[in-house]
Amino acid sequence: MALPNPPDGDDPTLPPSPGKPMLQRNDSLERDDDGADDPGTAPEGQLTPEEEREKIKALHDFDIQAGAMYYLVDAAWWLMWSDYVGFEDGSEARGSRPNEIDNSSLLAPGSTAKLRPYINEGRDHVFVLHDEWELLRSWYGGGPALPRRGITQGSTAVVELYGLTLKVYRSSDLSAAPVEMNISKAATVRELKEMACKEFGVVGAEVKIWDYFQKKPYALLDTPSKQLEQCQIMENNDMLVEEKDAEGKFNLKKNEGVGVGGSSTYSSGGNQNVVTSTAPPSQKGVVGLQNLGNTCFMNSTLQCLSNTPPLREFFASGDYEAEINNDNPLGHEGKLAGSFGSLMKMMWPQGDEAISAVAPRGFKYQMGTSNPMFAGFQQHDSSELMNFLLDGLHEDLNRIQDKPYVESTESDGRPDDVVAKEAMDNYKLRNDSQIHDLFRGQFKSTLVCPSCGNVSITFDPYTMISLPLRTAQEEMQQSYSVKMVYYDAADSKWVKNNLTVSIPKGAEAGQLRAALSTATSIPVERIVIGQILRSYIYKFFDDSASLDFVKTGTSTIIAYDVEYPKAFEYDEQPRSAYSRRAAAEPPKVDKAAMVLYFRKEESVTSTYITSSYNRTMKALYGDPLLFCHPKETSPNELYNAIADLLGKDKVNPEMFQIRVADAFGKPTDNHVVDRADMKPVTHGLKPKLHLVVEWVDWAKEQIQGMDGVQGKDEPEGVSGATPPSPGGAASAADENDDGYEDGKLHLKQCLELFSTEEKLSPEDAWYCSKCQQHVEATKKMELWSTPKVLVLHLKRFSYSRYYRDKLETPVNFPLDDLDLSTYVLEEPQSENGQPAQPPIYDCVGVSNHMGSLGGGHYTACGRSSEDGQWYKFNDSHTSPMQPQGVASGDAYLLFYVRRDLARAYLPVPQNVEE
């Protein structure tokens, strides 16, 4: 096809005519006269990487302290700096010196100080001390500075990222719009009062401060030294400045209706659950729970428990009150049980009282008081809350007043049923409550010594079963998502595939390269792996490089099929002034490593205090392209080669211009390489070159309608992309269709994985009483018995020093008739003279988690005991749903009730319209 031509007439975007070169090639394309790059010297006054590392290391070992100031640094920038100085492992300097500090990715749009929602330490940012920040900024510049204060949250100190935004009303003019005030959660009532008085121009002695929750006088803040967080003041909380009336009196009184739900008011230190909507609910018990600030994990768990009929009835009826143990030192003086019971009463009111939404402030306060981990308004794991709540409720309701000492029970060759009963009887001497009557089952654990064959069998109680989604061996594997890019010369096009490959945890980059070769059939000697940050390649990995940092969430692994991978792994940065080791020698090959970036102009709106202004800046976009090009070449030949790579027979050299850049895509000067220059580069190209491609104005619009052109300013699709494999058990099941439906792992496979025999790692070695040494024993966990209410936890999250990982593997599970007979060892037992019941269960609730662990969201699905229908609970919002939508890929906690109990509570559902 004919190549597109530029329009007639002069175009100011085109470079000058031949004879007017845009740059000196000796400063850009060509090698030095001696045929090798000069390692150079450190700029005068600049510290070596080792010196920087030691100065920061001397300061960086700190614990968060309340009252101290900390600064946020973008995790991607910190990663580059850490690699440059060898910060994490104390190794010699490596990698390229980073550009200036850029914290812009942490900011909310249009703001120079407010942080965007859901940022997480490690993934998005790191904390440094004030002195560290001052050093880093003096060395690199940039910013902006993002100082944040340490505050006390429960019994621990944390850095307060967001503070509180309050909506403050004035009693003398309640019709006026509220004034927004930003203040620390650790600020006192006195500080808030002073701020409000200054804002409204009133005297402190003439006003009172109210928690004006739901625009009602909820609580008078009359303790000046009390912190706002202790007062349970939340994000976007309504506040009221009460002024004296004409007679010089304060007349406002606490709203008598606050916190009531019939007789269900529960006050915990002045904090109450609050009815927020009295509209008729879809069905009794279908009550939304207001998000108090990152409390969706709590709301999801509470909805599942509310829809577990035997538990909810015990609390909503008030029966629990007779069993409260106020003296149990392991309990919470009955306050946790009282708070939970109050909330259940409010959500399930007696009579015809209409309640469709509740703010669980009283329960949230008591939960944080009972366990400081849940104080404040940070996101948490709903499985951790579930474990704490069942244990806390159990201890508050424990029927045992004086706990005797009991020894652990060993089998010593006795029959399992004898040992299991003895272990449970001993356990009940210390633990006996309605919670355990409903939720307690028993595990059988078998350990075998590989040296002497000693067998240890124990039976232990549980209230929740954590089910793996992959085998123990697969748990030792780490999955990496990699974008594989190569040029298909036969079709003259670039191909990009998204792959997920697994290698042993802690493995080096060489093993990832080998795994990619196996997955793609590309020879391993042609694969180069890089880490891409904001459309530039931050680093290339040689085979010995660590992969520890690539899961921070700030970068993407990208791999290319190239002729000479070692040419790209070669670090062309000056070394002799920074490192004790000799400067790296470039590979002896006849082609140069070319890294091609794409750059465009974009308009950015910046906000400073109350003023906004627009500015134009150059920014990289898209994925870089890599290729090898003969060192003996001319600028004109280089343009033609790039044109073919961008779109053979579609793009010509007149449509773009190239500039020589550094590794971060920043041009080294303001010149453009002259496309018309046909003179050979004097000493040949540098071993490694970074080039920036910029489309000329007339070509930008023309290429948008062309297929197969690289570097178009639009989201790039992935040709022939394969969806990421879920890894682990799901990967294995992909090859074995037994029980594996529609790409989902079946719950029964998770149960089989739970009981799979495994070998203990050296870190988990078991002490053998016969060998009298720690050994890597084989271990097998089995279900001996199951409870009336069965809670299954799908283990989606894994943790390490540098990242939190989530398995997105969908799991199929039945809503009715989950039969565990083949997995439970004990024969069904009669209870209280009633016939034995088989371990068959119906599902009544599901806690769902969407997104990443730190920035995700929890919802719930619950089956109503009133009409048998399923309902969706998303904080305050509730809606009916079809049963087919319950078993989604977001399921995290599954709540089952044994069939005999479930059928006693659940009616047969009618068809429902969503």
Side-chain angles (χ1 to χ4, degrees):
M1 63 178 286
L3 294 175
N5 292 314
D8 294 333
D10 294 332
D11 188 325
T13 65
L14 294 179
S17 59
K20 297 181 180 179
M22 302 294 289
L23 52 76
Q24 297 295 320
R25 289 195 306 270
N26 285 340
D27 294 333
S28 55
L29 296 174
E30 70 176 34
R31 292 166 62 92
D32 294 322
D33 291 343
D34 62 359
D37 287 337
D38 181 5
T41 59
E44 185 177 353
Q46 180 175 301
L47 300 181
T48 66
E50 290 83 358
E51 289 171 333
E52 289 186 16
R53 179 182 69 213
E54 295 310 311
K55 283 183 176 291
I56 297 298
K57 248 189 192 320
L59 300 168
H60 198 65
D61 185 16
F62 61 85
D63 294 320
I64 302 299
Q65 301 290 333
M69 193 65 71
Y70 303 90
Y71 286 74
L72 280 72
V73 176
D74 179 79
W77 189 92
W78 178 265
L79 183 153
M80 289 185 285
W81 178 82
S82 296
D83 194 54
Y84 167 63
V85 302
F87 185 76
E88 291 297 331
D89 53 13
S91 63
E92 291 189 357
R94 60 186 187 273
S96 303
R97 180 180 174 83
N99 283 339
E100 68 179 17
I101 301 169
D102 182 6
N103 284 334
S104 60
S105 69
L106 303 177
L107 298 172
S111 175
T112 58
K114 187 175 182 180
L115 301 176
R116 63 180 172 84
Y118 304 125
I119 63 172
N120 289 289
E121 184 182 6
R123 186 189 71 186
D124 302 299
H125 67 86
V126 297
F127 291 120
V128 298
L129 299 174
H130 173 268
D131 290 348
E132 291 181 89
W133 170 255
E134 290 299 324
L135 285 173
L136 291 170
R137 190 163 63 169
S138 70
W139 298 334
Y140 294 94
L146 299 174
R148 293 295 187 270
R149 187 177 300 278
I151 63 171
T152 299
Q153 183 170 287
S155 61
T156 61
V158 299
V159 176
E160 182 181 33
L161 295 180
Y162 299 100
L164 290 172
T165 299
L166 305 179
K167 297 177 180 178
V168 185
Y169 292 83
R170 187 175 180 178
S171 64
S172 60
D173 189 7
L174 287 174
S175 61
V179 175
E180 284 198 353
M181 295 183 182
N182 293 289
I183 193 169
S184 170
K185 298 172 188 174
T188 62
V189 173
R190 178 185 294 107
E191 291 173 305
L192 173 61
K193 187 174 183 179
E194 290 172 352
M195 181 183 291
C197 288
K198 183 177 180 180
E199 175 67 31
F200 293 122
V202 295
V203 180
E206 301 296 314
V207 300
K208 291 182 177 181
I209 302 295
W210 285 83
D211 180 347
Y212 200 47
F213 186 71
Q214 295 291 306
K215 297 182 177 59
K216 296 177 182 178
Y218 173 72
L220 176 63
L221 306 189
D222 54 0
T223 307
S225 60
K226 200 169 185 180
Q227 292 182 341
L228 298 180
E229 187 174 38
Q230 294 173 322
C231 299
Q232 290 292 287
I233 303 302
M234 305 171 295
E235 175 69 6
N236 292 319
N237 211 119
D238 292 326
M239 308 296 296
L240 178 66
V241 176
E242 182 193 5
E243 301 166 87
K244 288 182 178 179
D245 62 14
E247 298 179 1
K249 297 180 179 179
F250 293 111
N251 290 320
L252 199 60
K253 295 182 179 180
K254 183 174 179 180
N255 179 40
E256 297 299 333
V258 167
V260 296
S263 59
S264 62
T265 301
Y266 177 78
S267 176
S268 179
N271 290 276
Q272 299 174 329
N273 302 315
V274 183
V275 174
T276 58
S277 175
T278 56
S282 303
Q283 184 56 258
K284 184 177 180 179
V286 180
V287 176
L289 294 173
Q290 181 173 327
N291 192 318
L292 306 178
N294 287 327
T295 57
C296 58
F297 76 98
M298 179 186 78
N299 292 346
S300 173
T301 306
L302 289 172
Q303 293 291 7
C304 290
L305 292 173
S306 172
N307 285 284
T308 302
L311 177 75
R312 179 251 302 146
E313 186 177 81
F314 176 68
F315 280 94
S317 66
D319 289 349
Y320 75 95
E321 295 171 5
E323 299 197 17
I324 288 180
N325 184 343
N326 295 307
D327 302 319
N328 184 359
L330 297 180
H332 308 283
E333 300 177 342
K335 293 179 180 178
L336 185 64
S339 180
F340 182 76
S342 169
L343 183 60
M344 291 298 104
K345 288 181 182 182
M346 186 174 284
M347 296 174 70
W348 294 83
Q350 302 296 318
D352 299 326
E353 188 173 1
I355 295 177
S356 59
V358 169
R361 292 184 60 156
F363 178 78
K364 170 66 177 66
Y365 177 83
Q366 186 57 54
M367 185 177 70
T369 302
S370 299
N371 186 340
M373 172 183 175
F374 299 111
F377 298 95
Q378 300 296 312
Q379 181 73 283
H380 290 282
D381 186 334
S382 64
S383 70
E384 293 176 343
L385 173 62
M386 187 63 191
N387 272 322
F388 158 70
L389 195 52
L390 289 181
D391 183 66
L393 293 175
H394 158 68
E395 295 295 357
D396 267 4
L397 301 172
N398 200 339
R399 301 174 183 123
I400 306 299
Q401 298 295 323
D402 297 310
K403 295 188 175 186
Y405 171 77
V406 295
E407 294 186 353
S408 59
T409 304
E410 284 283 349
S411 60
D412 295 328
R414 293 179 295 164
D416 283 353
D417 57 343
V418 173
V419 181
K421 184 178 185 306
E422 180 182 310
M424 183 55 70
D425 290 343
N426 285 342
Y427 183 78
K428 286 183 176 180
L429 293 174
R430 294 174 56 85
N431 300 277
D432 185 20
S433 72
Q434 179 69 12
I435 302 301
H436 278 196
D437 290 347
L438 293 174
F439 289 87
R440 181 179 55 208
Q442 205 171 14
F443 290 138
K444 176 186 177 182
S445 174
T446 305
L447 289 160
V448 180
C449 176
S451 300
C452 68
N454 179 32
V455 178
S456 171
I457 297 176
T458 57
F459 294 85
D460 301 297
Y462 67 84
T463 54
M464 183 167 69
I465 304 174
S466 293
L467 297 178
L469 305 189
R470 50 189 179 185
T471 66
Q473 182 178 1
E474 288 162 337
E475 287 285 352
M476 300 303 294
Q477 299 282 307
Q478 178 59 57
S479 295
Y480 292 93
S481 296
V482 183
K483 182 179 286 187
M484 186 76 214
V485 183
Y486 64 93
Y487 184 74
D488 185 345
D491 292 336
S492 301
K493 67 176 184 179
W494 289 89
V495 179
K496 300 179 182 181
N497 287 332
N498 284 331
L499 304 172
T500 298
V501 294
S502 296
I503 58 176
K505 288 183 177 178
E508 295 174 336
Q511 287 180 269
L512 179 59
R513 213 155 66 105
L516 288 171
S517 176
T518 300
T520 62
S521 299
I522 296 173
V524 68
E525 60 272 12
R526 288 185 59 94
I527 295 177
V528 63
I529 301 173
Q531 191 171 6
I532 188 170
L533 299 167
R534 299 169 189 155
S535 294
Y536 65 85
I537 296 181
Y538 144 63
K539 69 179 292 183
F540 290 99
F541 296 97
D542 60 32
D543 283 350
S544 63
S546 169
L547 297 171
D548 281 342
F549 288 104
V550 298
K551 297 290 279 188
T552 60
T554 60
S555 61
T556 300
I557 301 180
I558 193 165
Y560 296 85
D561 174 12
V562 294
E563 193 172 355
Y564 297 114
K566 296 297 181 185
F568 291 91
E569 294 170 7
Y570 158 67
D571 186 356
E572 74 277 21
Q573 294 295 315
R575 284 289 186 184
S576 61
Y578 303 107
S579 178
R580 292 183 293 274
R581 67 184 181 189
E585 286 291 328
K588 304 296 183 182
V589 293
D590 60 354
K591 291 187 177 181
M594 312 295 289
V595 181
L596 209 60
Y597 294 136
F598 298 96
R599 197 170 73 137
K600 64 179 179 179
E601 281 191 351
E602 62 182 15
S603 179
V604 177
T605 300
S606 297
T607 302
Y608 180 72
I609 308 180
T610 58
S611 302
S612 298
Y613 63 94
N614 294 323
R615 59 191 175 93
T616 300
M617 62 178 293
K618 301 268 189 163
L620 300 182
Y621 66 94
D623 294 327
L625 299 180
L626 269 58
F627 65 101
C628 293
H629 188 77
K631 291 178 179 177
E632 302 302 325
T633 191
S634 70
N636 179 264
E637 291 173 332
L638 184 57
Y639 263 96
N640 284 310
I642 292 174
D644 284 346
L645 291 172
L646 294 180
K648 190 173 179 63
D649 298 329
K650 298 178 181 179
V651 176
N652 69 46
E654 301 294 327
M655 300 172 70
F656 62 92
Q657 58 191 22
I658 60 175
R659 302 174 188 267
V660 178
D662 61 17
F664 307 105
K666 183 178 180 180
T668 54
D669 53 38
N670 291 323
H671 296 100
V672 174
V673 176
D674 183 4
R675 66 169 64 87
D677 189 348
M678 298 184 180
K679 295 179 182 179
V681 177
T682 306
H683 299 292
L685 296 178
K686 292 181 178 180
K688 185 176 176 182
L689 270 172
H690 297 83
L691 302 175
V692 169
V693 171
E694 297 172 324
W695 297 100
V696 299
D697 288 345
W698 64 266
K700 291 176 184 176
E701 190 170 330
Q702 189 169 340
I703 64 172
Q704 295 307 312
M706 297 181 180
D707 293 329
V709 173
Q710 296 299 308
K712 292 193 289 186
D713 185 12
E714 62 182 14
E716 295 192 20
V718 182
S719 305
T722 55
S725 164
S731 296
D734 218 359
E735 301 171 4
N736 181 358
D737 291 333
D738 184 20
Y740 197 74
E741 303 171 11
D742 300 324
K744 293 183 179 181
L745 185 65
H746 197 278
L747 184 62
K748 290 188 175 181
Q749 289 175 285
C750 300
L751 289 161
E752 290 164 1
L753 288 172
F754 174 81
S755 296
T756 300
E757 187 176 90
E758 61 177 299
K759 182 181 178 182
L760 297 180
S761 65
E763 294 79 15
D764 297 321
W766 168 64
Y767 183 78
C768 176
S769 58
K770 287 190 177 180
C771 293
Q772 296 187 347
Q773 61 180 347
H774 286 89
V775 295
E776 297 175 34
T778 57
K779 180 179 180 180
K780 184 170 185 174
M781 294 290 293
E782 297 171 281
L783 299 179
W784 176 255
S785 66
T786 53
K788 296 174 182 176
V789 179
L790 179 70
V791 183
L792 301 177
H793 165 223
L794 304 180
K795 293 174 63 177
R796 295 196 177 278
F797 300 115
S798 59
Y799 306 85
S800 82
R801 180 179 178 184
Y802 301 111
Y803 63 88
R804 298 176 176 186
D805 197 18
K806 180 184 177 183
L807 285 174
E808 301 285 355
T809 311
V811 178
N812 265 332
F813 55 91
L815 300 185
D816 296 292
D817 300 323
L818 171 65
D819 190 350
L820 300 182
S821 300
T822 57
Y823 305 99
V824 179
L825 301 179
E826 184 186 41
E827 291 295 324
Q829 304 292 309
S830 61
E831 301 173 15
N832 301 321
Q834 299 298 315
Q837 297 293 331
I840 301 175
Y841 293 83
D842 293 340
C843 187
V844 295
V846 178
S847 174
N848 300 304
H849 182 273
M850 296 162 285
S852 63
L853 179 58
H857 180 61
Y858 286 91
T859 63
C861 304
R863 183 187 290 192
S864 171
S865 59
E866 296 296 305
D867 60 8
Q869 304 287 3
W870 281 92
Y871 291 86
K872 183 183 296 182
F873 299 88
N874 186 357
D875 291 331
S876 297
H877 305 287
T878 65
S879 60
M881 65 182 299
Q882 293 289 350
Q884 302 91 294
V886 176
S888 73
D890 299 321
Y892 185 47
L893 298 180
L894 311 179
F895 290 71
Y896 282 91
V897 174
R898 202 173 63 197
R899 187 174 59 185
D900 58 306
L901 282 174
R903 299 296 163 88
Y905 284 100
L906 298 176
V908 178
Q910 305 298 316
N911 291 333
V912 61
E913 295 290 335
E914 283 200 64

